[in-house]
Amino acid sequence: MTGILANLSGALASGRVEIVDLTHRLTPDFPVMVLPPEFGQCAPFRKTEVSAYDHRGPAWRWNEITMNEHTGTHFDAPSHWITGRDVPDGATDSIPVRNFVGPVVVIDFTAEAAADEDALLEVAHIQAWEERHGRVPADCWVFLRTDWSKRQGAAYLNLREDGAHSPGPSPDAIRFLVEKRDIRGFGTETVGTDAGQAGHLDPPYPAHATLHGAGRYGLQCMCDLDRLPATGAVLLAAPLKIENGSGSPLRVLALVEKEG
Amino acid sequence: MTGILANLSGALASGRVEIVDLTHRLTPDFPVMVLPPEFGQCAPFRKTEVSAYDHRGPAWRWNEITMNEHTGTHFDAPSHWITGRDVPDGATDSIPVRNFVGPVVVIDFTAEAAADEDALLEVAHIQAWEERHGRVPADCWVFLRTDWSKRQGAAYLNLREDGAHSPGPSPDAIRFLVEKRDIRGFGTETVGTDAGQAGHLDPPYPAHATLHGAGRYGLQCMCDLDRLPATGAVLLAAPLKIENGSGSPLRVLALVEKEG
Ligand SMILES: [Mn+2]
Ligand SMILES: [Mn+2]
């Protein structure tokens, strides 16, 4: 074994590099996005027992599982959105696998999200972050930490008569990240990469429109982003290899190195 | 960023560390295990369109997906088997996440599998491998390379009147790996971790019985094991966080460092 992976294995064994799980449990009651009734809906997770050490299979248990590609903690492929329909290698089974492992930075937006549930990340917030932590590297995941994953029940989707209310990026901010910083992808704790009221922005759903049109990826419904450092973690986020999939539930893990 | 992860990120960016995909595409025609008709069966992968940039969702496409926890390239948790039913942390959502990243070694069993489709890996094969490559490390994945993933159609399951015919470990070999080498898990290219005729061994299905009874993990239906070195790769294999899941389809990736 040459150096880099031997060092990684040693650091994992010693605990110097820790693995952090950013994934919600897949259960039938985890909230899914709710669309206007004329549209196809996102199915929640369901599980049916096939056997459980019984007459249907004496020595084994296993289940059948059903969900949407966008149920629970999940990955958005470029061809999920109409802007990305003609992006090369834009589905879960064609994205180059090198994109499934790489650096991630975390922007702490918790104060803004606590003060205003419709708070939009602006370019000025990113620039303030860069003054403290350095420039957002190219080909890097950017996560928007809002602590939204700590909300329970109805407060998570936060639906009112006029739709969902939750934070997300402004059109300018996501364009800045894609065009000026050349990020690999953008991830959130909310049910989508866009704010709850993002249908009223220009363009509507700017995170989806801009990221996927440029062949970039999304991650959402993550938890425990407060366990990540602002810079220096490595993300492991590999979707299922669904044939021409538009996205996928997945296990999102991060490698975090301890100081010293 | 301190050293180890910075080095990893740099090596991924430069191509010095490559990511190898060991996963078959999830399609309806990928073969699943066939059990005697009195038992619950393993569902193949199915996908139903929810919208495709149309009246059901003008700007997006997404699908509903159904499968067994043991469909396609997948992970076996300890509680999949009756011997592992009381193992602590034995389900997909309770296994400590540190087990999802770590070293893997590959035993080349292609010549034996080509000569005899019921070939059993014996302790002597492992000892011969150790003479060339060193002792199998503790807490390591061991993969049995058979090139079985290159078989097409009916030749993959290789069913005859008396059941499936495919290679796997002998009871002694898997006991040796678990008890004398303390491995983390065992992975194959065939449809299961056990040989096709393993129901006739003592114990029946020794890989399942021994691995899971000892709290160890299984991986199967992998491909492209010929792209891995005998030692030195790092495996990324994280199941979906299914509530009390017995296993999970997943993306299996390996990090491989280039020489020099
Ligand atoms: Mn989505
Ligand atoms: Mn299985």
Side-chain angles (χ1 to χ4, degrees), chain B residues 59-78:
Chain B
W60 54 91
R61 75 175 186 97
W62 50 355
N63 302 292
E64 195 164 312
I65 55 175
T66 298
M67 68 211 89
N68 191 288
E69 289 170 338
H70 299 258
T71 298
T73 302
H74 73 276
F75 182 99
D76 283 358

Side-chain angles (χ1 to χ4, degrees), chain B residues 15-28:
Chain B
R16 183 185 165 91
V17 168
E18 191 192 6
I19 301 175
V20 176
D21 191 357
L22 307 178
T23 318
H24 281 288
R25 195 168 263 111
L26 276 169
T27 67

Side-chain angles (χ1 to χ4, degrees), chain A residues 24-26 30-32 42-43 68-75 191 220-222 248-250:
Chain A
H24 281 288
R25 194 168 264 111
L26 275 170
F30 188 81
V32 292
C42 186
N68 191 289
E69 290 170 337
H70 299 259
T71 298
T73 303
H74 73 275
F75 182 99
V191 78
Q220 51 256 286
C221 306
M222 289 187 291
S248 168
L250 79 173

